[in-house]
Amino acid sequence: MGGMITGMYGAAVKPGQDMAEASAQQQMAEYQAQAYTASAADARARGGQTAAALQAKGAATIGAAKTAFGSSGVDTQSGSALEAMRDTRMFSELDAQTAKNNAAREAWGYDVKATSASAQGMVDLAKGQVKANDDLMSGLGQTWNGMAMFAGGG
């Protein structure tokens, strides 16, 4: 009789518990994926802000150099003064692009983690479904055996 009761519990209650646990794990994984996605967006935004700041700093440096050259009577439209300003512009743009590239790499890492967390959530849910099915079948088997023993007088 005890096997029959245990089997009925296993068939009726345990699969639901398995699915609730798996669903909770899947929801946690999805929350984690969303957090990683938000971190990726933040990294991209920070990269853009840093790049803009570097470009502004480069423009300010060029402006200051132009003013200094001009007040010293140096021609800013040719020669070494023009080359210096071109180099400053080029290096500030290189710095800005480096900042964007670094931010993109950081964001890519978060995107990979988000995808992985989401996939793990699906795996957790699938595992829960398999476990629930196993518990259901095991419980039905125990119930069947208990009924057979009860009917047989065992």
Side-chain angles (χ1 to χ4, degrees), residues 85-148:
M85 289 186 290
R86 283 184 184 162
D87 287 350
T88 300
R89 183 174 290 114
M90 179 187 67
F91 284 116
S92 68
E93 184 57 33
L94 179 63
D95 289 345
Q97 292 303 318
T98 300
K100 286 180 183 178
N101 187 34
N102 289 343
R105 288 173 191 250
E106 181 183 351
W108 179 78
Y110 287 124
D111 288 338
V112 168
K113 288 179 180 181
T115 301
S116 178
S118 187
Q120 184 61 52
M122 289 187 281
V123 167
D124 290 342
L125 193 58
K127 282 179 166 180
Q129 290 169 337
V130 168
K131 188 173 181 197
N133 289 340
D134 285 349
D135 286 340
L136 176 64
M137 297 308 289
S138 176
L140 291 174
Q142 287 177 355
T143 301
W144 179 259
N145 286 340
M147 287 173 44

Side-chain angles (χ1 to χ4, degrees), residues 10-42:
V13 176
K14 191 76 172 92
Q17 291 173 339
D18 294 338
M19 287 306 299
E21 182 181 332
S23 179
Q25 288 174 335
Q26 193 253 348
Q27 287 174 356
M28 181 57 79
E30 281 304 316
Y31 173 79
Q32 196 171 29
Q34 290 171 359
Y36 285 134
T37 299
S39 293
D42 178 63

